[in-house]
């Protein structure tokens, strides 16, 4: 007897004895053999040239990934710089809940706000990065207009953001606000989020695997908001989003494309706090950006 017929007979029998509903059973996915990260991979920072955050803290991360065993990439000794970038193979299996959210056709700002709210709920329970989930006070999801034309992407929450649950509320955030005002924009009209939704302890660099773990949420936020423009603040955001190895200095003053958005990269406000002379470059970048929006700044 073929299996379809056997199942049909079984269901008929169950119905005969009064069973009309059977529970939905999730079949576990086949387990792939765990692979340990190669030594070169362990060393890899998001910015192979050294991030602004590393310069700030003067520390390099121990680069220990709790999800290394989930990586489906074989460990095969030394890898080239290009290979050290986070690729889709580093990402955990997509969450069905998140996929269902982003596959919707959004009918307007309220629908987008609802989707972001549901996504924030999923993120709040995320434990993909063991260390971050253990040390965070809360997740820092994103803030702003769910229907924004412009999205800002930063690096990761710091201590103030971790405490308040909102991105860019500390010193760097205050400077960002000044830049926004100087551009004749309003913070609340922009959607602001980060590469990571949890604070790395001691403000260390995000590790590549942490960025890979959080990428599904960043991509979901982009898919829901559907911004026309994205500004990547700093090397971590720029290199992660665009899968780039070049320094911000080489990526600024031009537009890239990510999904349907035009992407501009500039220096991180934290970098400007330590290097005020770079403010003029950011101002040039913002003038370039605003001109694209049809606004000429003096
Ligand atoms: N720096 C970031 O990159 N993001 C924040 O939210 C705060 C500081």
């Amino acid at each position: 007897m073929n299996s379809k017929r056997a199942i049909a007979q079984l269901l008929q029998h169950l119905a005969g004895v009064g069973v009309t509903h059977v529970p939905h059973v999730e079949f576990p996915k086949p387990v792939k053999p765990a692979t340990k990260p190669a030594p070169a991979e362990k060393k890899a920072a998001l910015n192979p040239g050294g991030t602004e955050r590393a310069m700030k803290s003067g520390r390099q991360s121990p680069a220990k990934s709790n999800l290394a065993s989930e990586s489906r990439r074989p460990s095969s000794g030394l890898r080239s710089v290009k290979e050290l970038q986070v690729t889709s193979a580093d990402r955990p299996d997509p969450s069905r809940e998140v996929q269902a959210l982003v596959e919707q056709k959004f009918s307007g700002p309220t629908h987008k706000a609802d989707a972001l709210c549901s996504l924030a709920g999923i993120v709040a329970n995320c434990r993909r990065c063991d260390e971050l989930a253990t040390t965070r006070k809360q997740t820092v999801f994103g803030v702003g207009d769910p229907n924004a034309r412009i999205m800002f992407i930063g690096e990761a929450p710091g201590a103030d953001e971790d405490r308040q649950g909102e991105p860019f509320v500390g010193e760097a955030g205050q400077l960002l606000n000044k830049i926004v005002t100087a551009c004749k924009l309003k913070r609340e009209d922009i959607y602001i989020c980060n590469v990571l939704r949890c604070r790395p302890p001691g403000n260390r660099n995000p590790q590549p695997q942490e960025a890979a773990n959080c990428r599904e949420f960043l991509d979901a936020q982009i898919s829901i908001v559907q911004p026309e423009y994205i500004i990547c603040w700093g090397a971590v955001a720029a290199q992660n989003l665009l899968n780039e190895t070049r320094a911000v200095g080489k990526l600024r003053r031009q537009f890239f494309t990510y999904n349907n958005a035009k992407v501009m990269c500039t220096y991180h406000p934290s970098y400007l706090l330590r290097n005020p002379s770079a403010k003029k470059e950011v101002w040039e970048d913002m003038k370039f950006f605003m001109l694209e929006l049809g606004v000429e700044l003096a």
Side-chain angles (χ1 to χ4, degrees), residues 32-45:
K32 303 218 169 96
T35 55
K36 269 198 156 186
E41 184 183 347
K42 281 194 168 192
K43 271 198 196 156

Side-chain angles (χ1 to χ4, degrees), residues 53 154-158 161 167-168 172 194 268 270:
R53 191 176 270 259
E155 182 175 324
E161 290 76 19
F168 283 105
N194 282 305
H268 194 285
S270 300

Side-chain angles (χ1 to χ4, degrees), residues 22 25 37 42 109 165 178 268:
V22 288
V25 179
K42 281 194 168 192
K178 284 188 187 158
H268 194 285

Side-chain angles (χ1 to χ4, degrees), residues 53 56 140 153-158 161 166-170 172-173 192-196 233 268-270:
R53 191 176 270 259
K56 177 175 62 191
V140 178
I153 305 178
E155 182 175 324
E161 290 76 19
E166 184 174 326
F168 283 105
V169 290
I192 307 176
C193 61
N194 282 305
V195 169
L196 295 193
W233 296 91
H268 194 285
S270 300

